[in-house]
Amino acid sequence: MRKATITRRTAETDITVSVDLDGSGSYDNQTGVGFFDHMLDQLARHALIDMTVRATGDLHIDDHHTVEDTGIAIGQALAQALGDKRGIRRYGSCHLPMDDAQVRAALDLSGRPYLVWNVDLPTQKIGTFDTELVREFFQALSTHGGITLHVDRLHGINSHHIVEAAFKAVARALREAVEIDLRKADAIPSTKGAL
């Protein structure tokens, strides 16, 4: 049962996230931030992780706390659903093209959070969404999911395409990493015997 539900409540946000690592990529994400919801839908769909997000935040200030805290909660839910990580492939990577954009993502579900973010975005906004929040989301996801995550923009001139390619590339890498390795389904994927 590789499922988890996390609830995170602060003075700034109230967030509940549910994930099923063995899902079909179904999603129902409602954060009050339209572009962000669209990106979370991409994350779930392309990772084949069923995901439901309900977030209420201080959007009258800005989207920052909602986006960052959602990243924290999704990271915690992934870590809980993975348990001791027995049988997973652990590593995943993807080169993803989207029109003018190409983004490469590589990750390790190592338990050692680290983010390398080489994604310059040509605009500060996508609609009303602050593009600097994309890095904040992935930093929170990496930190609280215990994920070593590298994301690199190889090409791209359109911010929407670059960001969407980043979410999809991370999703595809995550899909690969959380899958059960049928050749070692009973083993922790580390010579240490623990992750």
Side-chain angles (χ1 to χ4, degrees):
M1 296 295 292
R2 301 191 314 154
K3 300 178 182 181
T5 298
I6 294 289
T7 298
R8 174 182 170 80
R9 289 189 181 94
T10 71
E12 299 164 340
T13 60
D14 185 348
I15 299 169
T16 300
V17 171
S18 295
V19 298
D20 179 353
L21 302 184
D22 299 308
S24 62
S26 66
Y27 51 82
D28 184 5
N29 301 311
Q30 298 177 27
T31 66
V33 182
F35 178 75
F36 183 49
D37 288 347
H38 178 49
M39 294 301 102
L40 294 177
D41 295 349
Q42 301 304 321
L43 185 66
R45 171 64 183 88
H46 290 277
L48 293 184
I49 293 173
D50 292 349
M51 185 164 64
T52 300
V53 176
R54 291 292 181 273
T56 304
D58 53 2
L59 299 180
H60 62 285
I61 296 174
D62 67 8
D63 300 341
H64 187 111
H65 298 138
T66 299
V67 171
E68 182 177 30
D69 288 7
T70 299
I72 291 170
I74 293 173
Q76 290 172 340
L78 289 174
Q80 183 174 311
L82 284 165
D84 69 0
K85 302 177 187 169
R86 185 173 307 278
I88 65 168
R89 293 186 182 275
R90 177 178 168 181
Y91 298 99
S93 64
C94 179
H95 278 86
L96 194 130
M98 183 171 177
D99 299 335
D100 56 286
Q102 183 182 174
V103 175
R104 176 180 60 214
L107 59 82
D108 176 9
L109 300 177
S110 61
R112 297 186 305 277
Y114 196 90
L115 177 67
V116 175
W117 183 256
N118 293 314
V119 183
D120 293 326
L121 294 165
T123 62
Q124 293 182 343
K125 296 272 192 184
I126 299 171
T128 61
F129 185 81
D130 293 324
T131 55
E132 69 180 3
L133 296 181
V134 180
R135 185 189 188 285
E136 293 298 319
F137 170 78
F138 284 114
Q139 181 68 66
L141 180 76
S142 170
T143 298
H144 293 271
I147 303 167
T148 299
L149 176 60
H150 294 241
V151 186
D152 299 285
R153 182 195 80 166
L154 304 179
H155 306 289
I157 56 174
N158 179 287
S159 292
H160 187 132
H161 295 163
I162 296 165
V163 171
E164 188 162 341
F167 270 86
K168 288 177 175 177
V170 170
R172 288 281 172 161
L174 190 59
R175 172 182 172 177
E176 186 177 323
V178 303
E179 283 182 345
I180 298 298
D181 184 344
L182 297 180
R183 295 175 63 195
K184 282 289 188 177
D186 61 342
I188 302 293
S190 172
T191 55
K192 298 178 183 128
L195 284 173

